[in-house]
Amino acid sequence: MKTLVWVEHDNASVADATLAAVTAASKIGDVDLLVAGSGCRAVAEEAAKIEGAGKVLLADDTAYKNGLAENLAPLIAGLMADHDAFVAPATTTGKNIAPRVAALLDVMQVSDILSVEGDKTFTRPIYAGNAIATVESGDEKLVVTVRGTAFDKASAEGGSVSVEEVSGPGDAGLSSFVSQEIAESDRPELTSAKVIVSGGRALKDAETFEQVITPLADKLNAGIGASRAAVDAGYVPNDYQVGQTGKIVAPDVYIAIGISGAIQHLAGMKDSKTIIAINKDEDAPIFQVADIGLVADLYKAVPELTEKL
Ligand SMILES: Cc1cc2nc3c(=O)[nH]c(=O)nc-3n(C[C@H](O)[C@H](O)[C@H](O)COP(=O)(O)OP(=O)(O)OC[C@H]3O[C@@H](n4cnc5c(N)ncnc54)[C@H](O)[C@@H]3O)c2cc1C
């Protein structure tokens, strides 16, 4: 089997999520990497060092600059003439590209795989992660997205392969890039943070969330997450959301504060190595998955904890 892994990047460096996808792809077969962007040769050279890669295909075109899925999908579908499986990390952009590739190839997509059990057999979560299905594809070509927390990251150093230039149809004329607003933060990114402090509806409003959660996160050099209730109520931006419709995280330590533990929230964090919950309701479902639970009023417990640290 010959796999093609889409390299996620910002035209400057390879995103971490790519490395887990490379590990998954190497369990399926030989790995070629696709770097599609604009002015992104440095990314291709960085990708060429990823351990396990066979070669790097570089598609450098202004049409690919902003990762528009409408432009990338035809390029990838064309390159699939020489590959058996397309593999992308199950990130926001990866999940935007892969289904379009599957549609162009007229195959089904296998989403969010947790393990590779055979050439075309995978496990994947269903029912918000409450059951794990083993699925086998009957299609000739595979399109697979990879849950980053389920695979070790391939080493970013150690490889040294060639970079080959390729081209595709370019601008499909279906969409155009208008603008983007990127939140600047010194904090570790949620999906790669070792420690996450997450707040829920109990934090009342944006100001209180900031006053209670941020000092603790600062002390622990932690990423900040939130439940959907906290996001919907406007305490924090959307990209803080952890869960079924948010980000899937698996840090060493996840601290859930004033979060009840609805299954949709658990779907995004229950693989964390150590889960600590602070909730005033001793029957809150979060305590069923917590390794350490504190039944307490967060407004007393969290400032105390922050001070003692
Ligand atoms: C299709 C679908 C997708 C969804 N996706 C997501 C998702 O991705 N992520 C997600 O999080 N949710 C998701 N949800 C929503 C989910 O069902 C819950 O509604 C949500 O997670 C609840 O958030 P919460 O725990 O902050 O609020 P609540 O359930 O209201 O819990 C608040 C908790 O705070 C505790 N509390 C209150 N005051 C204090 C205090 N002073 N001190 C200590 N504890 C206190 C309470 O005891 C309670 O347990 C989804 C729902 C649906 C239907």
Side-chain angles (χ1 to χ4, degrees), residues 15-263:
D16 235 28
T18 311
L19 302 175
V22 170
T23 303
S26 65
K27 291 177 194 282
I28 302 172
D30 298 335
V31 179
D32 286 351
L33 302 176
L34 171 65
V35 174
S38 179
C40 57
R41 178 160 278 277
V43 179
E45 277 159 14
E46 189 189 339
K49 294 187 195 142
I50 297 175
E51 207 152 48
K55 71 176 160 198
V56 176
L57 305 179
L58 169 63
D60 200 324
D61 188 318
T62 48
Y64 307 134
K65 182 173 180 189
N66 298 299
L68 293 180
E70 292 81 357
N71 293 351
L72 289 172
L75 164 73
I76 294 163
L79 295 170
M80 285 302 288
D82 301 323
H83 295 87
D84 305 297
F86 173 64
V87 179
T91 54
T92 307
T93 315
K95 288 191 285 189
N96 198 13
I97 296 167
R100 293 167 202 272
V101 174
L104 290 172
L105 297 174
D106 196 19
V107 299
M108 67 168 191
Q109 172 177 309
V110 185
S111 303
D112 218 12
I113 63 161
L114 302 174
S115 70
V116 179
E117 302 293 324
D119 266 6
K120 292 189 173 185
T121 309
F122 307 94
T123 61
R124 60 175 303 267
I126 54 172
Y127 303 121
N130 283 307
I132 307 298
T134 302
V135 294
E136 183 176 2
S137 169
D139 286 320
E140 205 177 303
K141 304 261 179 193
L142 290 174
V143 173
V144 172
T145 62
V146 174
R147 180 172 288 202
T149 53
F151 292 87
D152 291 337
K153 289 178 188 149
S155 169
E157 298 285 336
S160 165
V161 298
S162 60
V163 177
E164 194 178 292
E165 291 199 20
V166 292
S167 59
D171 189 353
L174 295 170
S175 60
S176 59
F177 177 80
V178 178
S179 68
Q180 66 181 359
E181 282 171 36
I182 298 175
E184 295 283 340
S185 169
D186 294 338
R187 244 170 235 300
E189 215 277 311
L190 259 191
T191 48
S192 53
K194 292 208 169 355
V195 180
I196 293 176
V197 180
S198 229
R201 197 197 307 268
L203 273 308
K204 287 188 193 147
D205 54 36
E207 204 183 2
T208 317
F209 192 103
E210 164 83 26
Q211 275 165 8
V212 177
I213 300 294
T214 306
L216 178 59
D218 285 346
K219 281 265 169 87
L220 296 169
N221 188 29
I224 295 184
S227 71
R228 176 156 158 187
V231 169
D232 285 352
Y235 305 175
V236 286
N238 266 20
D239 59 346
Y240 282 42
Q241 187 178 315
V242 171
Q244 186 188 343
T245 44
K247 289 188 174 146
I248 310 282
V249 299
D252 292 342
V253 180
Y254 187 89
I255 309 179
I257 298 174
I259 291 179
S260 60
I263 54 164

Side-chain angles (χ1 to χ4, degrees), residues 281-293:
D281 173 9
E282 63 178 30
D283 293 324
I286 191 77
F287 289 127
Q288 289 167 19
V289 297
D291 301 287
I292 300 168

Side-chain angles (χ1 to χ4, degrees), residues 211-217 219-220 255 257 278 294-309:
Q211 275 165 8
V212 177
I213 300 294
T214 306
L216 178 59
K219 281 265 169 87
L220 296 169
I255 309 179
I257 298 174
I278 303 175
L294 178 62
V295 180
D297 184 339
L298 73 90
Y299 293 104
K300 195 164 171 294
V302 177
E304 252 177 52
L305 177 63
T306 309
E307 200 193 307
K308 290 211 165 110
L309 284 166

